[in-house]
Amino acid sequence: MSFQIRLLLLLFLLGEALSFGQGDDFVRGMLLDSKSGAPVVFATIRLKEKAVGVISNQDGSFRLPRRFMNLGETLTISCLGYENRHIMLSELPLDTAVTIKLDSRPIELEEAILTGKRRRLTPRQIIKKAIDRIDQNYLVSPFSYVGYYRDYQLKDNEYVNLNEALLQINDMGFQQNDLDHTKIRLYDYRANSDFQRDSLANSPYDYVTKGKIIKNAYLPGFGGNELNILRIHDAIRNYNIKTYSYINRLNRDLIRNHSLSRKGDRIIDNERIYVIGLEKSRPELDPDISPGEEVHADFRSQGTIYISQSSYAIHKLVYKMFDTNIQERSKQDIAKGKDKLIFEVTVEYMKKEGKMYPNYISFHNVFKLQKSLFKILDIRMNKDEKCFVVKFNKAPILMIDENRKNFMVKYRKKRIRLIETRAVFDEFHLYPEPEKFDCVFKESTAESRGAGYFSPENFEFNFIGVQDAQGNALNDFEYEEFDQYREFFTQQIQLSLVEDIPEKVLMQKNRPIFDNQPLTRPDNFDEYWMNTPLKKNQ
């Protein structure tokens, strides 16, 4: 993609141009490292005079509304590890997109040996100070901010199921539980039809039939609301509740679950930053593991936390979890010595008027999608018949005469004895002893979701000798692998909370963000925009 550069000097300042033929209402750009040419991801591109902006995408791209060009706006581009750039938006062409190259900032050496009584702090002491000062550095009173949300999948580097929204988050402060008390207003949302849609990949995670899973991990559904899933993975905001392994409760578990090491210091907006590496050391100390639960010995985690040397505010946390089991890795990864990524979380805060505010958060995980000619569609509990109902996509045929041997059901790792099975069209009904069913039903059913639904992590279903009329074996399938992303990028901080928001205009957290949610647009709605990523062929 390329700008029609009007001045040779501008070409020199901004770098190579990229062709871009889409005629819309946005100015587009691409941020690249000036030496390596790699995309600069999650850089802040802010309109200085209006205090609004966006964050660069995974490919370094961004877009800004053309209407700002006539206002003489200055772009301020900043990113951890890079020198800041300042560019006049009015100098950018309208019909093409430009590549802006950022110069990396050298990694600073650790501070010199100090004289007097002050001693060099250990990584443990630095993180402890940062945790102790969370209530000082972050707002404990209500505040709000507006931003751009999206969730999508990547398959072969192509965007799939891109969903986008503009929304306002009204946070009651760091001393309040985020999931319970934060109020969210949706300004706009859309399922972007310019990109590929795949209904199967867009379905909820399914740990019962294993149709869509994160291998060796479990992700709660939160009512299908992907924004809730994203926000619970902000371990800074949720520092006193369990977030994800092995950060768990950040104020209690981060230090004791990891080995810590000092890295080279960094500079952010003229402020010196501690950079501390995290490695998973003793996961068996995880205090939230249930009795009898096994710890997967093939997990490896690593992360980096960035902490101010003056205020001890946490500016950024990056955390990745890998599966080191050689059976889970591709031949290419094995040859390169790479482990299999399970998930990664990146969250960054920015300072404004002495307090830290959310800048962006990204949660990326890898999932596997089951493709099978003959498979299980659903498993539920029928309270009236006192049985498990297994629904198939085709009528099943049993290859063993005594059909109870075809099915095995375990609850909390203990086998449930079946006394009868019945074939009903495309279903099999599995009957345990009535008293046993009643006991299991009472313990496992989630009443808020209605009778018949249960938490899958407590159950195990194994079926053998089952096929369809065409001879396809049950679950004789292949998995396709996708990368799932959920991301939120702050566009504007609103220091005061919007008062008295009617409940009827708030997002319902117990259902998906794109499921008939209420929309309310403020008078200044035109100040915000969706930073839709570029399609691969653009």
Side-chain angles (χ1 to χ4, degrees), residues 141-145 169-174 178 182 231 237 497:
S141 58
F143 65 100
S144 66
Y145 50 101
I169 295 177
N170 298 277
D171 194 317
M172 299 299 111
F174 270 49
D178 179 55
T182 294
R231 290 187 62 81
R237 171 61 182 87
L497 184 70

Side-chain angles (χ1 to χ4, degrees), residues 282-305:
R282 298 182 299 277
E284 67 273 16
L285 293 182
D286 184 348
D288 293 298
I289 291 179
S290 302
E293 183 178 348
E294 296 180 0
V295 177
H296 196 302
D298 295 325
F299 287 163
R300 176 179 68 85
S301 65
Q302 67 181 44
T304 309
I305 188 168

